[in-house]
């Protein structure tokens, strides 16, 4: 007999953060688990910063399948892990932990490629081979820049209000991908001719969350025809920037696709099978 679908054989997964009460991951992963018929419960794991290492080791002790990691623990968890996936090591942040059969704790970063797979739902493959434009070089933009290069972009152009942060990211991208081009653009001075070769555009700043007062992160008129745009902000679902890109005839994808994208890749790491992305999106939309 089970209560709420939980029985004696149910295994555990979850999302570790602080705070974690606003997270959409339990609803989203719960929908994917139900669609796959897996006997796994995915729960919120609020962990205070001083307890992070203890909590990560506890995953092994408690027989967890693994967990997601969110703000502010994506860097702090790394030292408690046994091994890092090469992409997580390059990015310098972990959002997914897998507990292997023998108890080995392995860290992955699915934020990096979640954005690419989210955009790939609506954009042709040719877009990803061209130069990628990363708008915003905070934590999210950093992961996405690595993801775009992993996906085969010939280079990236970085656009950020604070130039020093874009430069810092450019340095780590050049060290990790010495054969690709990395350009830092100056937001007030950027022209259409600077963006002529852009394929995928990833908007990763927080601009758009307050649609009445936020300025646009970039003038959509500067983007070339054929570019495909992923917006990371998911509330509102259609930001003014996304609306402007669509009005200009560009392919646009919303922030839920990025959230679902990283979650579906985590699911694949834990269970070795594809997650039902439609079920995940339905669980968190609206
Ligand atoms: P996240 O982890 O979500 O990326 P973050 O690391 O705080 O959060 O980064 C927020 C991003 O939004 C940064 O690129 C930030 O630009 P700065 O590096 O110049 O701070 C960008 N951002 C936030 N508010 C902005 C604003 N009013 N104008 C332009 N960029 C803004």
């Amino acid at each position: 007999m089970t209560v709420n679908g939980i029985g004696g054989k149910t295994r555990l997964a979850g999302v570790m953060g602080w705070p974690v009460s606003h997270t959409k991951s339990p609803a989203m992963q719960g929908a994917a688990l139900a669609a796959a018929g897996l006997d796994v419960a995915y729960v919120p794991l609020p962990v205070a910063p001083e307890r992070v290492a203890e909590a990560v080791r506890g995953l092994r002790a408690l027989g967890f399948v693994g967990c997601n990691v969110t703000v502010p623990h994506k860097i702090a968890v790394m030292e408690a892990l046994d091994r890092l996936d090469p992409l997580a090591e390059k990015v310098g942040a972990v959002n997914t932990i897998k507990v292997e059969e023998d108890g080995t704790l392995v860290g992955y970063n699915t934020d990096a490629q979640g954005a690419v797979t989210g955009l790939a739902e609506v954009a042709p493959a040719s877009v990803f081979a061209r130069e990628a434009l990363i708008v915003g070089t905070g934590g999210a933009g950093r992961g996405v820049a690595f993801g775009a290069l992993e996906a085969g972009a010939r280079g990236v152009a970085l656009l950020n209000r604070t130039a020093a942060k874009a430069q810092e990211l450019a340095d780590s991208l050049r060290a990790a991908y010495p054969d690709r081009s990395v350009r830092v653009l100056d937001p007030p001075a950027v022209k259409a001719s600077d963006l002529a070769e852009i394929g995928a555009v990833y908007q990763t700043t927080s601009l758009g969350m307050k649609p009445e007062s936020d300025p646009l992160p970039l003038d959509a008129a500067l983007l070339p025809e054929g570019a495909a745009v992923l917006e990371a902000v998911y509330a509102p679902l259609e930001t003014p920037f996304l609306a402007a890109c669509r009005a200009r005839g560009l392919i646009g994808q919303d922030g839920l696709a990025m959230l679902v994208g990283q979650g579906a890749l985590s699911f694949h790491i834990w269970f070795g099978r594809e997650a039902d992305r439609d079920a995940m999106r339905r669980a968190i939309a609206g």
Side-chain angles (χ1 to χ4, degrees):
M1 167 169 172
T2 64
V3 174
N4 292 334
I6 296 175
K9 292 183 182 154
T10 304
R11 297 195 66 197
L12 287 171
V15 54
M16 199 180 282
W18 186 258
V20 82
S21 53
H22 59 278
T23 180
K24 289 182 182 286
S25 291
M28 185 171 77
Q29 294 290 353
L33 289 163
L38 291 169
D39 188 7
V40 177
Y42 184 105
V43 296
L45 301 168
V47 173
E50 65 275 16
R51 299 257 191 243
V52 165
E54 197 182 337
V56 171
R57 287 193 295 272
L59 297 171
R60 171 166 47 211
L62 294 168
F64 270 61
V65 175
C67 75
N68 282 124
V69 182
T70 188
V71 178
H73 299 328
K74 291 185 186 188
I75 296 169
V77 293
M78 290 197 295
E79 64 184 77
L81 299 172
D82 299 313
R83 194 152 57 76
L84 289 179
D85 171 73
L87 180 56
E89 187 151 21
K90 278 184 198 164
V91 177
V94 161
N95 80 322
T96 304
I97 298 173
K98 181 176 186 195
V99 185
E100 295 194 334
E101 290 297 319
D102 65 358
T104 307
L105 297 165
V106 188
Y108 297 84
N109 187 308
T110 69
D111 288 329
Q113 284 166 310
V116 174
T117 65
L119 186 55
E121 288 174 14
V122 294
S126 56
V127 156
F128 299 97
R130 295 181 7 221
E131 188 182 34
L133 174 64
I134 316 294
V135 184
T137 56
R142 180 178 173 86
V144 169
F146 280 91
L149 289 169
E150 273 309 296
R154 82 159 83 103
V156 289
L158 309 177
L159 196 64
N160 196 54
R161 175 180 59 179
T162 310
K165 277 168 70 182
Q167 277 302 346
E168 198 181 301
L169 175 57
D171 291 343
S172 31
L173 292 170
R174 288 186 185 115
Y177 303 90
D179 58 330
R180 314 288 178 89
S181 82
V182 178
R183 298 190 294 147
V184 174
L185 303 173
D186 177 23
V190 71
K191 302 183 297 295
S193 57
D194 296 322
L195 306 179
E197 301 301 319
I198 297 295
V201 178
Y202 302 93
Q203 192 311 99
T204 74
T205 75
S206 48
L207 294 174
M209 289 180 181
K210 296 192 209 95
E212 325 71 42
S213 53
D214 282 346
L216 287 175
L218 174 70
D219 179 358
L222 299 177
L223 294 171
E225 259 176 58
V229 180
L230 178 99
E231 169 64 88
V233 171
Y234 58 80
L237 197 54
E238 182 160 85
T239 60
F241 177 65
L242 188 55
C245 291
R246 285 175 169 156
R248 172 158 164 41
L250 305 178
I251 294 169
Q253 176 65 296
D254 62 52
L256 284 186
M258 178 165 163
L259 201 61
V260 169
Q262 60 79 28
L265 294 174
S266 299
F267 187 97
H268 189 266
I269 286 167
W270 297 321
F271 305 113
R273 54 205 270 185
E274 296 303 323
D276 183 335
R277 287 175 182 244
D278 292 335
M280 293 170 91
R281 173 181 271 269
R282 278 195 305 276
I284 56 175

